Amino acid sequence: MKILNALGEPVQPAHQRIPADILSLADYERHAVHHVEQAAWAHVESGADQGITLAHNRAAYDALRLLPEPLADLREAHTRTTLFGRELISPLLLAPVAYQRLVHADGEIATARAAMAMQIPMTISTLASHLIEDIAQAARSASRELGRSAPLWFQLYSQPERDTSLDLVRRAEAAGCEAVVWTVDASIKRSRYPLPVGVDAVNLRGNAQPRQTSDLMSENILFGTPLAQQAPRWDELAWLREQTRLPLAVKGILSPAAAVRAVDMGADALVLSNHGGRVLDGVVSPIEVLPAIRDAVPAHIPIIVDSGVRYGTDIVKAVALGASAVMIGRPQLHALATAGMLGVAHMLHMLRAELELAMAQTGCATLAQISPRVLQPHPR
Amino acid sequence: MKILNALGEPVQPAHQRIPADILSLADYERHAVHHVEQAAWAHVESGADQGITLAHNRAAYDALRLLPEPLADLREAHTRTTLFGRELISPLLLAPVAYQRLVHADGEIATARAAMAMQIPMTISTLASHLIEDIAQAARSASRELGRSAPLWFQLYSQPERDTSLDLVRRAEAAGCEAVVWTVDASIKRSRYPLPVGVDAVNLRGNAQPRQTSDLMSENILFGTPLAQQAPRWDELAWLREQTRLPLAVKGILSPAAAVRAVDMGADALVLSNHGGRVLDGVVSPIEVLPAIRDAVPAHIPIIVDSGVRYGTDIVKAVALGASAVMIGRPQLHALATAGMLGVAHMLHMLRAELELAMAQTGCATLAQISPRVLQPHPR
Amino acid sequence: MKILNALGEPVQPAHQRIPADILSLADYERHAVHHVEQAAWAHVESGADQGITLAHNRAAYDALRLLPEPLADLREAHTRTTLFGRELISPLLLAPVAYQRLVHADGEIATARAAMAMQIPMTISTLASHLIEDIAQAARSASRELGRSAPLWFQLYSQPERDTSLDLVRRAEAAGCEAVVWTVDASIKRSRYPLPVGVDAVNLRGNAQPRQTSDLMSENILFGTPLAQQAPRWDELAWLREQTRLPLAVKGILSPAAAVRAVDMGADALVLSNHGGRVLDGVVSPIEVLPAIRDAVPAHIPIIVDSGVRYGTDIVKAVALGASAVMIGRPQLHALATAGMLGVAHMLHMLRAELELAMAQTGCATLAQISPRVLQPHPR
Amino acid sequence: MKILNALGEPVQPAHQRIPADILSLADYERHAVHHVEQAAWAHVESGADQGITLAHNRAAYDALRLLPEPLADLREAHTRTTLFGRELISPLLLAPVAYQRLVHADGEIATARAAMAMQIPMTISTLASHLIEDIAQAARSASRELGRSAPLWFQLYSQPERDTSLDLVRRAEAAGCEAVVWTVDASIKRSRYPLPVGVDAVNLRGNAQPRQTSDLMSENILFGTPLAQQAPRWDELAWLREQTRLPLAVKGILSPAAAVRAVDMGADALVLSNHGGRVLDGVVSPIEVLPAIRDAVPAHIPIIVDSGVRYGTDIVKAVALGASAVMIGRPQLHALATAGMLGVAHMLHMLRAELELAMAQTGCATLAQISPRVLQPHPR
């Protein structure tokens, strides 16, 4: 029986070259639907409930209006920045994205190679479909081959047992990861998508996961069950901070209160994220809470913005409002599905090009020159 | 001749199991259209005039944006609350919904059993298509079987003769109903839907109903006719208050002035409702007038919010703005049509699950912790 | 050759009975398309340019939100009002609508009969497709037959020669018209619709009309041509005021400045109108400028609101903001096309019914009780 | 093989007469799609990225609401204005539009003839597909034939070598151009459209153009390449100002800061433009920044508004907010493709007619009478 994509066609193999009509990240999404099995596609693309937040993540960027400035001196222009002591070629990072083998057999291995080729940091997910060690090994090989590199980071979902969490951190450290990104916004969510054969959380094999099993007649649904008992709490941050000397970013922050608390407890950076609109529908978007959070935490704490970044202009808008960098999520899967490693590399290259164009048009020769001045006050 | 649904297909029988693709209340609506005769469906789904209020009832919730707070302590989390001295498992009630046999042969009997199984109060409509006594009997049987229970309430439409109204209240009391919900917003409305054979207001049999019969040449249409003469007035509340010792809620309140007046005249609770957008198009939605009404009446008066609640996040939003509980209307019919008693139970179970997820994500372990803090100030 | 409607079907004859599925004025529009020749339909329905104002005329009403008040005493409720000394059954008037024979062979004759039957005033257009005298005669006959009546008004477009204008006024006076409505917003507009054989401005026969004939190479288009030379100016109002003792309303006012000037020069009433969005696209809607104009002119000057009224709730909104009455335009043609005289009568009956329902739901037993209180402050 | 248009039909030849159903510029766009090869059409019509700015250019006009004033004295009405010492029949100019032979074999030659016939200035693009000299010659011939004329202007894109730029200016001067429009907003942009055989930048033949050639593995994309090195800077304006005695307009200004700087460095006029939404998506529209820029520069500096003007009402709105004139871009191509020279002439004639109608309806007999008074304060 043929495996079908969401258009009812047989799933198409990934391209060996980049299709000529791909001019932006949106084009990768348009292509990718042909290359992914339909249930996996629905899982990748979906937002919670009505998808209001999923749409709002874009609308919040689109509502901001840029104010061009012509004729700037671009002779020394560049997009370099420094994060956790490492110089980056561009304020761009690959967000942690689970189960990448859902869309391409090479999964995270291909993504890691593309990231190194483009000198863009990659964040390995706890739910990666390849072993941390194998991903890191692929990145190292690619770096050696190409004479280029970028940091690997590791994203941690807290496990029911702290020892399991710690074991993951230790493996990431051993594999050369340079930072830990602790995700706090998705320990409790609904998902009914059953992973297909051959794709699973290989890094968690052997560790029992709590399951949300509530039948119709059970009085306790979430509250009063192990899932609620074992959900991570703030004291877990204190514990985690003590376990590793790696820089620690907390991902899933959307309020000044949580931002301040995380920094007070030792977070080295914050990732503003609503998990791409996947967890709770109707929540705020990172870009709209960024100014208040930037004001609330010390200036030396980097703020990374996730959820909805798709264009170079989005990066300029985020940096103008105080972001140090942005994370790219679903477009990894779109590019990976469409053209494998080559697609991911090209996707990152396009974003870099778009960022430079947007900076040139707004008269910014460096990231430091991107200020609120580039945004129209009170759009609409 | 085959009975057709609104899609032009023969009406399908209700499912014996819950279809696997039902993940939210909206999915029940999507399914239900297949199971209901077309004119009945139009009657169930319609809003007044252009349906502006029908749509606005959703838009008003969707415009509110939630502010997540991660890492809350959920070990003691619960959704319990107390209404009229009874502890409820969740701040959820079944709104009065007329003529439930329009969508399923078991009608209110099935709904009552589902309500008891899920421990959610049900409000029996004056226009129920089963006798009050039979519905109450079904609820009692289900409670005994399952070892679970929840209150039954009775919804009263004022009748042209006070004796008729009083007779309904006495029957409800005798049947064990624990509260009276007096609906004041629909005594005068337009409806041209003729009930099919076998479905009627069985609790009113033998009592003449005033009819709005204005032919083209009659100078009086509504004003100057018995309908306007006999429409309930405020003094009816004073009278009703004296007739029963049951708690008395007034349903159909949308202004602080009416709220204060109702409480002053003895209402024990208010139900904010625009009758699901069915009566007058272009009116305000309960959720948007809730804050002003909450401010206007004493804190001990529970405010219940009706009209448009479809997601767990809606409940969090309503509670954040001062609601004690919410009422669910049309989704009863959607679930009943799709899967009978099982559907109604599952619909309520999903709402409870969604509420807990929304509370977990917004950092609220109890209803009391749900405050305006969970809402983004000045969305958009 | 068959005459086709805008759906490509042969034009259907008007119904002899009111179709059962007509529940609102919008339903008449939906039906009427079947009964009108396609070019005439385009002419009737079109707005200027992009139709922004045409749509805005509705959106401006839809943006206002009503605040219901239950339980009002409706025993003495009525919708009567007085205009120019005549008591009216309802604050409803038929706007002047040109060339009614475009949509039904009986044209203005049918409309006049319906108006008398429903006791609603009719305004005869300068561009009526029946003679003023014949329309008035039809109205008188209908009144006698039915024992009911309502005023006829006459709408004047200024003619290039004042004598021609005066002759029209004298004929209207002689025919028993009780008021003159002087339209000032459409003396200069573009129209490329050629009237079909058998429909023309019979009341102007024998009087040359200036034509806007600019070929591509003519340097003067509008300015510098007779059309601009002969366009009416404010001094025409002073002249007109002296010519007749009938009450004089100025139609096409949208600013406080013009309103004050018109009243200062002797206007007895104002009709706020943007000509149904037909003349200049992108202009304000009457309902949104009503409050400022109501504030600017003395309270005894009636303000009538035209352009976009389609529902009883619209009338409540207009009265709440200061209108004395509303005028209904295109729906006359929709009803006339669909069911002739009967349709127009039924259309007016529905509006009256909707007005009473809206008043009942907002707790208003008389027009005088309709105040800004019925509108939600700051909708959205 | 047949050349196809964007509808998949063979490209249709231009009409020899103006189609009867063309009543506005939007109708030319609707027609033109039939007459242009599909890739060229995509190139002509497209906006950057998501087309947000392309759409916003229209929405910004549509959001402004006009306030009609009836009964103005139009006997001396006209639309004349003076720019750079030349009296113009109307505040209308043809914007520089590149490669006009993409849509019609006569290209800029036809446009120049139409401009002279209609007495509307034309701006010759650096990227014209005919030689400056040939376009000017065609304009002169047409002027002689018709006894009518209007200025030609020349639009300059800075070239990598100043000598090349200077040579273009000298050729324009020699050809009789009366002003230089220096475009500063598009020296750096992305375009992947390959010109078809027979259409090229004939005025630049023999001068190497820098190309943005970044392959996937090149570390420098825009920044650090010749494109960024050679992009024009503010000092180029000082240089250019010294090279010619022609009036100098700077095109592509969107901020008060840039406007003031340009004027301080000798610009005689400003053209507010976002290049029709083609360069950077999400930027402000000229009409919304016009008031602030008008306030920032001396009153004697003319401000011309480009990007999105399609209706006569747009011109009234722009003039009301401080514009001296407007430029028309894409509609040139729509009209040229549909009906060649005749189309362009008719398009300009329609705009003039619409402007006069809009002025008549808003009570303005001259451009000087068009003030903010014609705009509704705070629309929406």
Side-chain angles (χ1 to χ4, degrees):
Chain A
M1 199 187 70
K2 288 229 168 125
I3 298 172
L4 299 184
N5 64 29
L7 306 172
E9 319 158 339
V11 167
Q12 298 176 14
H15 295 284
Q16 300 298 313
R17 293 161 174 259
I18 296 158
D21 64 344
I22 292 189
L23 306 180
S24 73
L25 272 59
D27 296 320
Y28 269 118
E29 185 169 22
R30 185 170 50 80
H31 268 268
V33 65
H34 298 280
H35 301 278
V36 179
E37 183 275 330
Q38 55 190 347
W41 183 252
H43 174 71
V44 164
E45 294 289 285
S46 66
D49 288 354
Q50 303 174 88
I52 290 175
T53 294
L54 183 65
H56 183 61
N57 282 347
R58 282 303 314 148
Y61 281 103
D62 294 345
L64 295 170
R65 222 133 42 225
L66 292 168
L67 205 51
E69 281 298 330
L71 300 174
D73 186 343
L74 302 173
R75 286 174 295 183
E76 306 293 326
H78 68 86
T79 63
R80 288 189 297 276
T81 189
T82 298
L83 218 48
F84 298 155
R86 281 281 296 250
E87 189 179 274
L88 304 180
I89 199 171
S90 190
L92 256 177
L93 303 108
L94 290 177
V97 172
Y99 305 124
Q100 302 196 9
R101 297 190 63 208
L102 280 178
V103 304
H104 191 286
D106 295 344
E108 292 83 359
I109 299 294
T111 302
R113 289 177 181 280
M116 295 306 112
M118 294 294 108
Q119 298 169 269
I120 300 294
M122 172 189 184
T123 313
I124 302 172
S125 170
T126 288
L127 300 177
S129 52
H130 281 288
L131 291 173
I132 298 167
E133 293 77 7
D134 293 348
I135 300 168
Q137 172 58 35
R140 267 193 306 276
S141 304
S143 289
R144 265 196 309 268
E145 281 170 38
L146 300 165
R148 291 179 172 193
S149 74
L152 288 179
W153 291 4
F154 175 70
Q155 177 265 348
L156 176 70
Y157 279 123
S158 286
Q159 301 301 307
E161 301 297 324
R162 285 191 174 175
D163 280 354
T164 321
S165 296
L166 189 55
D167 181 56
L168 287 165
V169 171
R170 291 284 173 264
R171 287 172 56 198
E173 288 171 341
C177 289
E178 301 185 20
V180 172
V181 176
W182 185 42
T183 300
V184 298
D185 63 1
S187 54
I188 293 179
K189 60 168 183 161
R190 299 198 296 178
S191 174
R192 287 175 178 84
Y193 176 65
L195 291 171
V197 173
V199 180
D200 70 330
V202 292
N203 292 291
L204 297 176
R205 276 185 193 160
N207 292 299
Q209 297 293 306
R211 281 212 152 263
Q212 181 184 343
T213 53
S214 85
D215 70 33
L216 195 52
M217 291 302 289
S218 68
E219 199 158 312
N220 290 329
I221 301 178
L222 164 60
F223 292 168
T225 71
L227 203 62
Q229 307 299 330
Q230 297 166 358
R233 298 182 297 276
W234 279 104
D235 58 10
E236 183 122 344
L237 175 54
W239 170 81
L240 183 61
R241 176 66 295 180
E242 284 173 9
Q243 305 308 313
T244 182
R245 303 174 82 168
L246 289 184
L248 180 58
V250 180
K251 177 165 179 283
I253 298 295
L254 287 169
S255 76
V260 167
R261 192 160 177 184
V263 169
D264 285 350
M265 293 179 74
D268 298 301
L270 304 171
V271 184
L272 310 194
S273 173
N274 58 30
H275 221 99
R278 299 176 72 81
V279 173
L280 189 71
D281 203 24
V283 302
V284 293
S285 288
I287 189 71
E288 67 185 323
V289 293
L290 172 57
I293 294 178
R294 182 67 282 176
D295 283 351
V297 299
H300 73 273
I301 300 289
I303 297 179
I304 298 167
V305 169
D306 180 60
S307 300
V309 177
R310 295 294 181 272
Y311 294 93
T313 48
D314 299 338
I315 307 176
V316 167
K317 291 169 181 178
V319 173
L321 293 175
S324 298
V326 300
M327 275 187 170
I328 305 298
R330 285 187 186 88
Q332 293 178 56
L333 298 181
H334 300 156
L336 189 59
T338 302
M341 188 204 86
L342 195 60
V344 177
H346 178 239
M347 180 271 288
L348 293 168
H349 190 78
M350 281 199 300
L351 267 183
R352 280 191 61 209
E354 290 177 4
L355 170 60
E356 295 190 8
L357 176 66
M359 288 173 65
Q361 287 290 335
T362 52
C364 302
T366 63
L367 298 181
Q369 291 179 15
I370 302 176
S371 75
R373 190 267 307 153
V374 307
L375 296 173
Q376 167 85 335
H378 315 299
R380 232 161 278 183
Chain B
M1 199 186 71
K2 288 228 167 125
I3 298 173
L4 299 184
N5 64 29
L7 306 172
E9 318 158 340
V11 168
Q12 297 175 15
H15 295 284
Q16 300 297 314
R17 294 162 174 259
I18 296 159
D21 63 345
I22 292 189
L23 307 179
S24 73
L25 271 59
D27 295 320
Y28 268 117
E29 185 170 22
R30 185 170 51 78
H31 268 269
V33 65
H34 298 281
H35 301 278
V36 180
E37 183 273 331
Q38 54 191 348
W41 183 251
H43 174 72
V44 165
E45 295 289 284
S46 66
D49 288 354
Q50 303 173 88
I52 290 175
T53 294
L54 183 66
H56 183 61
N57 282 346
R58 283 302 314 147
Y61 281 103
D62 295 345
L64 296 170
R65 221 127 49 223
L66 292 168
L67 206 52
E69 281 299 332
L71 300 173
D73 185 343
L74 302 173
R75 287 174 295 183
E76 306 293 326
H78 69 86
T79 63
R80 288 188 297 276
T81 190
T82 299
L83 217 48
F84 299 153
R86 282 282 297 251
E87 188 178 275
L88 304 180
I89 199 172
S90 190
L92 256 178
L93 303 110
L94 290 176
V97 173
Y99 304 123
Q100 302 196 9
R101 298 191 62 210
L102 280 178
V103 303
H104 191 286
D106 294 346
E108 291 84 359
I109 299 294
T111 302
R113 289 178 181 279
M116 296 305 113
M118 293 295 109
Q119 298 169 268
I120 300 294
M122 173 189 184
T123 313
I124 302 172
S125 171
T126 289
L127 301 177
S129 50
H130 281 288
L131 291 173
I132 298 166
E133 294 75 8
D134 293 349
I135 301 168
Q137 172 59 34
R140 266 193 308 275
S141 304
S143 289
R144 265 196 309 268
E145 283 169 37
L146 300 165
R148 291 179 173 192
S149 75
L152 288 179
W153 292 5
F154 175 70
Q155 177 265 349
L156 175 70
Y157 279 122
S158 284
Q159 301 301 307
E161 301 296 326
R162 284 190 174 173
D163 279 355
T164 321
S165 297
L166 188 55
D167 181 56
L168 288 165
V169 171
R170 292 284 172 264
R171 288 172 56 197
E173 287 171 342
C177 291
E178 302 185 20
V180 172
V181 176
W182 186 43
T183 300
V184 297
D185 63 0
S187 54
I188 292 179
K189 60 166 182 162
R190 299 197 297 177
S191 173
R192 288 173 178 86
Y193 176 66
L195 291 171
V197 173
V199 181
D200 70 329
V202 291
N203 292 290
L204 297 176
R205 277 185 192 161
N207 292 299
Q209 296 294 304
R211 280 212 152 263
Q212 182 184 344
T213 52
S214 85
D215 69 33
L216 195 51
M217 291 302 290
S218 68
E219 198 158 313
N220 291 328
I221 301 179
L222 165 60
F223 292 168
T225 71
L227 203 62
Q229 308 299 330
Q230 297 167 358
R233 297 182 297 276
W234 280 104
D235 58 10
E236 183 121 345
L237 175 53
W239 169 81
L240 183 60
R241 176 65 296 179
E242 283 174 9
Q243 305 309 314
T244 182
R245 304 174 82 167
L246 290 183
L248 180 58
V250 180
K251 177 165 179 281
I253 298 295
L254 287 169
S255 77
V260 167
R261 191 160 178 184
V263 170
D264 285 350
M265 292 178 75
D268 298 300
L270 304 172
V271 184
L272 310 194
S273 173
N274 58 28
H275 221 99
R278 300 176 72 80
V279 173
L280 188 71
D281 203 24
V283 303
V284 293
S285 288
I287 189 73
E288 67 185 323
V289 294
L290 172 56
I293 294 178
R294 182 67 282 175
D295 283 352
V297 298
H300 72 274
I301 299 291
I303 297 179
I304 299 167
V305 170
D306 180 59
S307 300
V309 177
R310 295 294 181 271
Y311 294 93
T313 48
D314 299 338
I315 307 176
V316 167
K317 291 170 181 177
V319 173
L321 294 175
S324 297
V326 300
M327 275 188 169
I328 306 299
R330 285 187 187 87
Q332 292 178 57
L333 298 181
H334 301 156
L336 189 59
T338 302
M341 187 204 86
L342 195 60
V344 177
H346 178 239
M347 180 273 288
L348 292 168
H349 190 78
M350 282 199 300
L351 267 183
R352 281 191 60 209
E354 290 177 4
L355 170 61
E356 295 190 8
L357 175 67
M359 288 173 65
Q361 288 289 335
T362 52
C364 302
T366 63
L367 298 180
Q369 290 179 16
I370 302 177
S371 75
R373 190 268 305 153
V374 306
L375 295 172
Q376 167 84 337
H378 316 299
R380 230 162 281 182
Chain C
M1 198 186 71
K2 288 228 169 128
I3 298 172
L4 299 185
N5 64 29
L7 305 172
E9 319 157 340
V11 168
Q12 297 175 15
H15 294 284
Q16 299 298 315
R17 293 161 175 261
I18 296 158
D21 63 345
I22 292 188
L23 306 180
S24 72
L25 272 58
D27 295 320
Y28 269 116
E29 185 170 22
R30 185 170 51 78
H31 268 268
V33 65
H34 299 280
H35 301 278
V36 180
E37 183 274 332
Q38 54 190 347
W41 183 251
H43 175 71
V44 165
E45 295 288 285
S46 66
D49 288 354
Q50 303 173 88
I52 290 175
T53 295
L54 183 65
H56 183 60
N57 282 346
R58 282 302 314 148
Y61 280 103
D62 295 345
L64 296 170
R65 219 126 51 223
L66 292 167
L67 205 52
E69 282 299 331
L71 300 174
D73 186 342
L74 301 173
R75 286 174 295 183
E76 306 292 325
H78 68 87
T79 62
R80 288 189 297 276
T81 190
T82 299
L83 217 48
F84 298 154
R86 281 282 297 249
E87 188 178 275
L88 304 180
I89 200 171
S90 190
L92 256 177
L93 303 108
L94 290 176
V97 172
Y99 304 124
Q100 302 196 9
R101 298 190 62 209
L102 280 177
V103 304
H104 191 285
D106 295 345
E108 292 84 357
I109 299 294
T111 303
R113 290 178 181 279
M116 295 307 112
M118 293 296 107
Q119 299 169 268
I120 299 294
M122 172 189 185
T123 313
I124 302 173
S125 171
T126 289
L127 301 177
S129 51
H130 280 288
L131 291 172
I132 298 166
E133 292 77 7
D134 292 348
I135 301 168
Q137 171 59 33
R140 265 193 307 274
S141 303
S143 289
R144 266 195 308 267
E145 282 170 38
L146 300 165
R148 291 179 172 192
S149 74
L152 288 179
W153 292 4
F154 175 70
Q155 177 266 348
L156 175 70
Y157 279 123
S158 285
Q159 301 301 307
E161 301 297 325
R162 286 191 173 175
D163 279 355
T164 321
S165 296
L166 188 55
D167 181 57
L168 288 165
V169 172
R170 292 285 172 264
R171 287 171 57 196
E173 288 170 342
C177 290
E178 302 185 19
V180 172
V181 176
W182 185 42
T183 300
V184 297
D185 64 1
S187 54
I188 293 179
K189 60 168 183 160
R190 300 197 297 178
S191 174
R192 287 174 179 84
Y193 176 66
L195 291 172
V197 174
V199 180
D200 70 330
V202 292
N203 292 289
L204 297 176
R205 276 184 194 161
N207 292 299
Q209 296 294 304
R211 279 212 151 264
Q212 181 183 346
T213 53
S214 84
D215 69 32
L216 195 52
M217 291 302 289
S218 69
E219 198 158 311
N220 291 328
I221 300 178
L222 165 60
F223 292 168
T225 70
L227 203 62
Q229 307 300 329
Q230 298 167 357
R233 298 183 296 278
W234 279 104
D235 56 11
E236 182 122 346
L237 176 54
W239 171 81
L240 183 61
R241 176 67 294 179
E242 284 173 8
Q243 305 309 314
T244 183
R245 303 174 82 168
L246 290 184
L248 179 58
V250 180
K251 178 165 178 283
I253 298 295
L254 287 170
S255 75
V260 167
R261 192 160 176 183
V263 170
D264 284 350
M265 293 179 75
D268 299 301
L270 304 171
V271 184
L272 310 194
S273 173
N274 57 28
H275 220 100
R278 299 175 72 81
V279 173
L280 189 71
D281 203 23
V283 303
V284 293
S285 287
I287 190 72
E288 66 186 322
V289 293
L290 172 57
I293 295 178
R294 182 67 282 174
D295 283 352
V297 298
H300 73 275
I301 300 290
I303 296 179
I304 298 166
V305 169
D306 179 59
S307 300
V309 177
R310 295 294 180 271
Y311 294 93
T313 48
D314 300 337
I315 307 176
V316 168
K317 291 170 181 178
V319 173
L321 294 175
S324 297
V326 300
M327 275 188 170
I328 306 298
R330 284 187 186 88
Q332 292 179 55
L333 297 181
H334 301 156
L336 188 59
T338 302
M341 188 205 85
L342 196 60
V344 177
H346 178 239
M347 180 272 287
L348 292 168
H349 190 78
M350 281 199 301
L351 268 183
R352 281 190 61 208
E354 290 177 4
L355 170 61
E356 295 190 7
L357 175 67
M359 288 173 66
Q361 288 289 335
T362 53
C364 302
T366 63
L367 298 180
Q369 290 179 16
I370 302 177
S371 75
R373 190 267 307 152
V374 306
L375 296 172
Q376 167 84 336
H378 315 299
R380 231 160 281 181
Chain D
M1 198 187 71
K2 288 231 169 123
I3 298 172
L4 299 184
N5 64 28
L7 306 171
E9 320 157 339
V11 168
Q12 297 175 14
H15 294 283
Q16 300 298 313
R17 293 163 175 258
I18 296 158
D21 63 344
I22 292 189
L23 306 179
S24 72
L25 271 58
D27 295 320
Y28 268 117
E29 185 170 22
R30 186 170 51 78
H31 268 269
V33 64
H34 298 281
H35 301 279
V36 180
E37 184 274 331
Q38 54 191 347
W41 183 251
H43 174 72
V44 165
E45 294 289 285
S46 66
D49 288 355
Q50 303 173 88
I52 290 175
T53 295
L54 182 65
H56 182 61
N57 282 347
R58 282 303 314 148
Y61 280 102
D62 294 345
L64 296 170
R65 224 137 36 228
L66 292 167
L67 205 52
E69 281 299 331
L71 300 174
D73 185 343
L74 301 174
R75 286 174 294 182
E76 306 292 325
H78 68 87
T79 64
R80 288 189 297 276
T81 189
T82 299
L83 218 48
F84 298 154
R86 282 280 298 250
E87 188 178 275
L88 304 179
I89 199 171
S90 190
L92 257 177
L93 304 107
L94 290 176
V97 172
Y99 304 124
Q100 301 195 10
R101 297 190 63 209
L102 280 177
V103 304
H104 192 284
D106 295 345
E108 291 84 358
I109 299 294
T111 303
R113 289 178 181 280
M116 295 307 112
M118 293 294 108
Q119 299 169 269
I120 300 294
M122 172 188 184
T123 313
I124 302 172
S125 172
T126 287
L127 301 176
S129 51
H130 280 288
L131 290 173
I132 298 166
E133 293 77 6
D134 292 349
I135 301 168
Q137 172 59 35
R140 265 194 307 275
S141 304
S143 289
R144 265 196 309 269
E145 282 169 39
L146 300 165
R148 291 180 172 191
S149 74
L152 289 180
W153 291 4
F154 175 70
Q155 176 265 347
L156 175 70
Y157 279 124
S158 285
Q159 301 300 308
E161 301 297 325
R162 285 191 174 174
D163 280 354
T164 321
S165 296
L166 188 55
D167 181 56
L168 287 165
V169 171
R170 292 285 172 263
R171 288 172 56 197
E173 288 170 342
C177 289
E178 302 185 20
V180 172
V181 177
W182 185 43
T183 300
V184 297
D185 64 359
S187 53
I188 292 178
K189 60 168 183 161
R190 299 197 298 177
S191 174
R192 287 175 179 84
Y193 175 65
L195 291 172
V197 173
V199 181
D200 70 330
V202 292
N203 292 291
L204 297 176
R205 275 185 194 160
N207 294 299
Q209 295 295 305
R211 278 214 151 263
Q212 181 185 344
T213 52
S214 85
D215 69 32
L216 196 51
M217 291 303 289
S218 68
E219 197 157 312
N220 290 327
I221 300 179
L222 164 60
F223 292 167
T225 70
L227 203 62
Q229 306 300 330
Q230 297 166 357
R233 298 182 298 278
W234 280 104
D235 57 12
E236 183 122 345
L237 175 54
W239 170 81
L240 183 61
R241 176 67 295 181
E242 284 174 7
Q243 304 310 313
T244 182
R245 303 174 82 168
L246 290 183
L248 180 58
V250 179
K251 177 165 179 282
I253 298 295
L254 287 169
S255 76
V260 167
R261 192 160 178 183
V263 170
D264 285 349
M265 292 178 76
D268 298 302
L270 304 172
V271 183
L272 310 195
S273 173
N274 58 28
H275 220 100
R278 299 176 72 80
V279 173
L280 189 71
D281 203 23
V283 303
V284 292
S285 287
I287 189 72
E288 67 185 322
V289 293
L290 172 57
I293 295 178
R294 182 68 282 176
D295 283 351
V297 298
H300 72 274
I301 300 290
I303 297 179
I304 299 167
V305 169
D306 179 60
S307 299
V309 177
R310 295 295 181 271
Y311 294 94
T313 47
D314 299 338
I315 307 176
V316 167
K317 291 170 181 177
V319 173
L321 294 175
S324 297
V326 300
M327 275 188 170
I328 306 298
R330 285 187 187 88
Q332 292 179 57
L333 298 180
H334 300 156
L336 188 59
T338 302
M341 188 204 85
L342 194 60
V344 177
H346 178 239
M347 179 272 287
L348 292 168
H349 190 79
M350 281 198 302
L351 268 182
R352 280 190 61 208
E354 289 177 4
L355 170 60
E356 295 190 8
L357 176 67
M359 288 172 66
Q361 287 290 335
T362 53
C364 301
T366 63
L367 298 180
Q369 290 180 15
I370 303 177
S371 74
R373 189 269 305 154
V374 306
L375 296 173
Q376 166 85 335
H378 316 299
R380 232 162 278 182

